[in-house]
Amino acid sequence: MKKSLLSLITILSVGFLYNSCEFPEFPSPELTISQDFMTHVAVVNFITDTSPDASGALVESLDNTVVTITGPDAARVFSIEGTKDFKITGGMVALLLDPSADFSGDKEYNINLVVEPVGYVKRIIPVKFIKDQNENPYEVAMLKKSSLPTGITVATNTTGAVTATGLTTAINLTASNAATSGVTTAITVPTGIKMKDASGAVLTGSLNTEVISFSEAGDNTAYFPGGLTPENIDMGNGTTASGAFVSAGFATINMTVGGKKVKTFEGAKVAVKMTLSKDNYNPKTEKPFAPDDTIDIWSYDDDKGQWKFESTGIVKKDADNSLYVSFETTHLSSFNLDYFNGSAGICNSTSVKFDWTEIG
């Protein structure tokens, strides 16, 4: 089955339909699959290039890495073999949408592909199945933490310990992009804070902490979790919306206690400070950032594949005249300083239409 389906994909004739827009600047890393065949197939290639605009060699060293499928329609998606066992094979993952999926009434199906190999930056890729409309096929650039591109920095701390009464020693950890004038993210984890997993169980044991700070410049927004034009955004007031983000920088904070992932905190909060890029500017004012400017703070729920509004941050000036936004959190996720534009801001720079060739 795998061979025949992949052979089918290779004989597709692809017609490109172009349109243009000015917002947002960078395309969303979103893969949209459109086809009228009895099975709907999405093939995602994992490549070595750190630039998402270039085609690199397939990362076959990642073979057998488990891929997680989340999102509202995860139950409708299967591996190419028709199972729920999703693994990278030959540097790629092929996904099947349930052949009985009904596309009537402009119905579409949305999932998130989550992959986090050891030694690599976690990638979260939205995959959307739509009838008769398509985006360019997407290749996922895998970033080694040991050789990150300019503007992305990782910092780790493995000395912490958590007991039944909480963290024994405070942790201060900074992922700095100061050398390139990019976004620097610093966290403070106070003593006594208790840590829980996704089930709500209190964790004890050795603590590993990781902070990854992403500047908004260059190609870095291509690694933005969930894409820059997400749907089903939780606006924090009981409503959802679709739109486009203009990021001023984002960061991912990960912790494990005794090898188990930390989800939430109890008894105290983690302080986060994100220093802005010196070359960035406020898209609202079209001027460089200034003290008292506001930037909304968003968090990303991996399980739901959803961005959520947290609060509005105030830009402040530090002792060295750098500008920053700070906030506190009771949970872990990716955090994003972003300006949100509603559905009017969404645009697709390129679309692809697949014409299926019949096989006898």
Side-chain angles (χ1 to χ4, degrees):
M1 180 180 181
K2 178 178 179 181
K3 181 177 180 181
S4 62
L5 282 172
L6 293 180
S7 298
L8 177 62
I9 292 168
T10 61
I11 65 172
L12 298 179
S13 59
V14 181
F16 292 85
L17 306 176
Y18 293 95
N19 57 72
S20 62
C21 57
E22 297 180 355
F23 184 88
E25 181 179 358
F26 299 102
S28 164
E30 182 179 89
L31 175 66
T32 304
I33 303 300
S34 169
Q35 48 217 34
D36 291 322
F37 193 63
M38 64 176 292
T39 55
H40 305 271
V41 184
V43 178
V44 182
N45 296 323
F46 299 91
I47 61 174
T48 55
D49 280 345
T50 56
S51 169
D53 296 325
S55 294
L58 293 176
V59 190
E60 295 190 12
S61 60
L62 297 181
D63 281 5
N64 295 316
T65 298
V66 174
V67 173
T68 303
I69 305 299
T70 66
D73 298 309
R76 304 296 298 269
V77 174
F78 301 85
S79 71
I80 199 72
E81 291 84 8
T83 72
K84 286 292 186 178
D85 183 22
F86 302 100
K87 291 183 178 180
I88 297 176
T89 302
M92 67 178 66
V93 169
L95 306 174
L96 285 173
L97 181 67
D98 183 347
S100 66
D102 181 10
F103 284 97
S104 62
D106 295 325
K107 172 66 177 176
E108 61 184 47
Y109 297 88
N110 295 276
I111 64 168
N112 294 289
L113 183 152
V114 184
V115 58
E116 191 176 12
V118 175
Y120 287 83
V121 173
K122 183 178 184 177
R123 299 301 313 273
I124 304 172
I125 306 301
V127 179
K128 179 186 296 185
F129 295 84
I130 299 180
K131 183 181 177 67
D132 297 333
Q133 188 176 2
N134 205 297
E135 294 280 346
N136 279 333
Y138 187 73
E139 293 183 317
V140 180
M142 298 303 297
L143 302 178
K144 281 189 175 181
K145 294 178 182 178
S146 60
S147 56
L148 294 171
T150 300
I152 304 177
T153 302
V154 60
T156 59
N157 183 298
T158 60
T159 62
V162 182
T163 67
T165 58
L167 182 65
T168 58
T169 305
I171 292 176
N172 294 283
L173 187 61
T174 300
S176 177
N177 283 304
T180 58
S181 299
V183 174
T184 288
T185 302
I187 67 169
T188 299
V189 190
T191 57
I193 191 170
K194 294 182 179 180
M195 303 185 179
K196 297 182 176 182
D197 63 14
S199 71
V202 176
L203 302 173
T204 60
S206 59
L207 171 66
N208 291 335
T209 306
E210 176 185 73
V211 178
I212 308 175
S213 190
F214 296 80
S215 298
E216 81 298 332
D219 293 325
N220 295 337
T221 52
Y223 307 111
F224 190 80
L228 285 171
T229 56
E231 300 182 10
N232 195 36
I233 301 168
D234 185 342
M235 301 304 293
N237 58 3
T239 66
T240 59
S242 299
F245 281 134
V246 178
S247 181
F250 54 104
T252 299
I253 304 172
N254 300 309
M255 294 182 185
T256 60
V257 174
K260 296 181 179 180
K261 290 186 177 182
V262 176
K263 184 69 174 181
T264 60
F265 304 108
E266 182 181 279
K269 298 180 181 180
V270 172
V272 182
K273 178 180 178 181
M274 297 181 67
T275 302
L276 305 177
S277 296
K278 292 183 178 180
D279 297 329
N280 204 346
Y281 71 99
N282 187 332
K284 288 185 176 180
T285 64
E286 297 186 352
K287 296 179 181 180
F289 281 113
D292 297 325
D293 281 356
T294 60
I295 308 176
D296 288 340
I297 300 165
W298 308 78
S299 65
Y300 191 80
D301 188 318
D302 286 1
D303 295 330
K304 294 182 180 179
Q306 183 181 47
W307 281 103
K308 179 182 179 180
F309 174 78
E310 292 280 340
S311 62
T312 297
I314 308 297
V315 177
K316 298 179 181 180
K317 182 181 287 189
D318 222 335
D320 61 357
N321 291 322
S322 60
L323 300 176
Y324 69 93
V325 172
S326 61
F327 57 95
E328 293 182 322
T329 181
T330 59
H331 65 96
L332 289 184
S333 72
S334 292
F335 294 98
N336 169 32
L337 302 181
D338 230 308
Y339 293 94
F340 175 72
N341 193 52
S343 58
I346 297 180
C347 57
N348 296 321
S349 58
T350 306
S351 62
V352 180
K353 182 178 180 181
F354 285 93
D355 296 320
W356 289 79
T357 303
E358 183 178 356
I359 296 181

